[in-house]
């Protein structure tokens, strides 16, 4: 890649993509060239002070006229696939917010578009880039956990307050039974279980115990739990609860023949320790703070871009995720979460919806590599 800065566009500048802007400066390899949003007022507000940014209210016009190298798709989830395909057809690299798609059919279309394009697609699952999750990944690679057998991921986040501002969430997420928003939980686990994938799932949903904050019914149950079997025989449990009045919690478990890991990530409590236990090394009945063992396992990208990142945007993971994408595109390397890894994270949740309809039946998860 030449020394020219990558030209980035953002569609949906009024939402989540604002968290990524500082990554352009930190990387030294990219700049914001264009933005698109149907709300011109918020588009002007969020780009105030950024020189030379082209502004559009029509997405395809931005793709055609802004001379972009890459685009960030930060719109509601039911637009992710069509907008990603539109960019890929123009050989523009895509960084898409989660989830990759909301139906099996459109996921197949996205995979086909990636195969036909000269550009790369990356799913922006920021939880894969949490500092602690990347440390665990390095420990697994070095064999500290031994043979892996079991993992859990929990995403507990009362999102009912978001419905008035983003009503699409109710239709496409909260009123669909199953793990409709599971990549935050499953993504990091699959990064630990390298060269493994979910081959079958079963899922059950609870009763609808809550309503929207305005008293409207929520149709698909409050809590959803999915069990996953992997190609290598491991078992994964994914819990998804976005509708209960409770504190935020993003929790993970990993168990192997030599070690176990537990994390309890709480909103506004980023210094809360993550726990690890090593057979034959740790006290027999006591978890230890993982920071006691992290020396030599902190990933290079976190060493290079630490500091203020630690308190901004999912504990700094938003910036790290975008820098990883920028680095890959700039250096001509494969992105960390390519289309098939994106499908590995997304398809189990889509199949879980079918399992709920079939009273928790175990169902096969397709392998996008065979499409």
């Amino acid at each position: 890649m030449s020394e020219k800065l990558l030209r980035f566009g953002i569609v949906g500048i009024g939402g989540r993509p604002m968290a990524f802007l500082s990554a352009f400066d930190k990387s030294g390899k990219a700049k914001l060239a264009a933005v698109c949003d149907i709300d011109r007022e918020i588009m002007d507000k969020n780009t105030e002070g950024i020189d030379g940014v082209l502004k559009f209210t029509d997405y395809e016009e931005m793709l055609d006229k802004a001379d972009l190298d890459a685009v960030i798709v930060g719109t509601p989830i039911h637009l992710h696939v069509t907008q990603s395909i539109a960019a890929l057809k123009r050989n523009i690299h895509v960084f898409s917010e989660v989830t990759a798609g909301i139906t099996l059919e459109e996921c197949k279309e996205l995979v086909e578009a990636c195969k036909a394009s000269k550009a790369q697609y990356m799913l922006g699952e920021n939880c894969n880039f949490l500092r602690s999750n990347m440390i665990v990944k390095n420990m697994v690679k070095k064999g500290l956990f031994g043979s892996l057998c079991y993992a859990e991921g929990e995403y507990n986040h009362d999102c009912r307050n978001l419905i008035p501002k983003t009503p699409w969430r109710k239709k496409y997420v909260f009123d669909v039974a199953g793990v409709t928003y599971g990549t935050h939980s499953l993504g990091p686990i699959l990064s630990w279980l390298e060269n493994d994938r979910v081959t079958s799932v079963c899922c059950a949903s609870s009763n609808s115990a809550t309503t929207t904050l305005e008293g409207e019914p929520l149709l698909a149950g409050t809590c959803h739990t999915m069990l996953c079997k992997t190609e290598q025989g491991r078992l994964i449990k994914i819990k998804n609860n976005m509708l209960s009045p409770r504190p935020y919690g993003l929790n993970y478990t990993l168990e192997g023949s030599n070690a176990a890991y537990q994390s309890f990530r709480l909103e506004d409590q980023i210094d809360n320790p993550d726990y690890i236990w090593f057979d034959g090394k740790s006290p027999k009945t006591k978890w230890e703070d993982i920071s006691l063992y992290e020396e030599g396992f902190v990933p290079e990208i976190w060493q290079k871009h630490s500091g203020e990142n630690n308190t901004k945007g999912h504990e700094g993971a938003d910036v790290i995720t975008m820098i990883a994408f920028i680095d890959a595109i700039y250096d001509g390397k494969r992105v960390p979460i390519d289309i098939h890894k994106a499908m590995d994270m997304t398809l189990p949740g889509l199949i879980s919806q079918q399992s709920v309809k079939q009273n928790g039946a175990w169902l096969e998860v397709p392998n996008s590599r065979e499409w």
Side-chain angles (χ1 to χ4, degrees), residues 1 31 45 78 85-86 99 111 116 124 139 181 209 228 253 257 278 284 301 346 362:
M1 188 79 193
K31 68 176 182 178
K45 178 182 177 183
H78 58 288
I85 290 175
T99 61
V111 171
M139 288 180 169
Y181 199 75
C228 311
T253 294
S257 58
F278 291 104
K284 189 173 182 180
I301 194 169
T346 299
W362 280 94

Side-chain angles (χ1 to χ4, degrees), residues 3 30 45 98 101-102 124 161 209 246 258 286 301 313 350:
E3 295 301 315
K45 178 182 177 183
V98 301
I102 60 171
N161 64 306
R246 53 154 295 157
N258 296 341
K286 184 180 178 182
I301 194 169
L350 296 181

Side-chain angles (χ1 to χ4, degrees), residues 335-347:
V335 295
I337 306 177
D338 65 14
I339 183 59
H340 294 303
K341 290 181 179 179
M343 291 297 107
D344 289 344
M345 296 179 196
T346 299
L347 295 177

Side-chain angles (χ1 to χ4, degrees), residues 12 21 29 35 41 59 68 109 132 184 200 242 263 340 367:
L21 292 184
K29 301 174 182 178
V35 296
E41 182 179 348
Y59 175 59
L68 299 177
E109 293 174 6
S132 56
H184 286 341
S200 60
M242 303 172 72
S263 75
H340 294 303
N367 185 350

Side-chain angles (χ1 to χ4, degrees), residues 170-369:
K170 186 174 187 297
K171 179 179 179 180
Y172 294 105
V173 180
F174 303 148
D175 281 347
V176 181
V179 178
T180 59
Y181 199 75
T183 64
H184 286 341
S185 303
L186 184 57
I189 291 171
L190 292 179
S191 76
W192 301 335
L193 310 183
E194 194 170 14
N195 299 318
D196 202 0
R197 55 173 289 271
V198 174
T199 56
S200 60
V201 300
C202 69
C203 186
S205 298
S206 77
N207 62 316
S208 293
T210 57
T211 66
T212 70
L213 298 181
E214 292 73 34
E216 298 177 14
L218 292 161
L219 306 178
T222 300
C223 184
H224 314 273
T225 299
M226 173 176 70
L227 291 179
C228 311
K229 287 299 292 287
T230 77
E231 201 166 54
Q232 297 184 32
R234 287 125 170 189
L235 182 65
I236 302 170
K237 185 183 84 171
I238 300 295
K239 177 193 171 191
N240 194 264
N241 185 343
M242 303 172 72
L243 299 172
S244 285
R246 53 154 295 157
Y248 173 92
L250 181 61
N251 308 326
Y252 300 99
T253 294
L254 182 64
E255 297 178 3
S257 58
N258 296 341
Y261 170 72
Q262 292 268 9
S263 75
F264 304 95
R265 317 210 65 78
L266 306 174
E267 194 169 28
D268 298 326
Q269 294 178 249
I270 64 172
D271 293 328
N272 199 57
D274 298 304
Y275 296 102
I276 200 161
W277 186 87
F278 291 104
D279 189 24
K281 181 182 290 186
S282 300
K284 189 173 182 180
T285 60
K286 184 180 178 182
W287 290 94
E288 296 186 277
D289 190 327
I290 196 172
S291 64
L292 298 174
Y293 296 96
E294 69 179 30
E295 186 175 354
F297 298 101
V298 179
E300 182 179 347
I301 194 169
W302 268 101
Q303 295 178 46
K304 185 176 179 181
H305 300 285
S306 59
E308 66 177 278
N309 286 327
N310 293 333
T311 58
K312 292 184 177 180
H314 293 87
E315 303 173 34
D318 286 348
V319 171
I320 297 296
T321 307
M322 181 53 62
I323 289 176
F325 176 68
I326 292 170
D327 284 348
I329 299 304
Y330 192 87
D331 297 333
K333 298 179 180 179
R334 177 172 294 210
V335 295
I337 306 177
D338 65 14
I339 183 59
H340 294 303
K341 290 181 179 179
M343 291 297 107
D344 289 344
M345 296 179 196
T346 299
L347 295 177
L350 296 181
I351 301 302
S352 79
Q353 298 168 22
Q354 299 177 20
S355 176
V356 172
K357 292 178 181 178
Q358 297 181 42
N359 200 30
W362 280 94
L363 299 177
E364 184 178 344
V365 177
N367 185 350
S368 63
R369 298 161 186 83

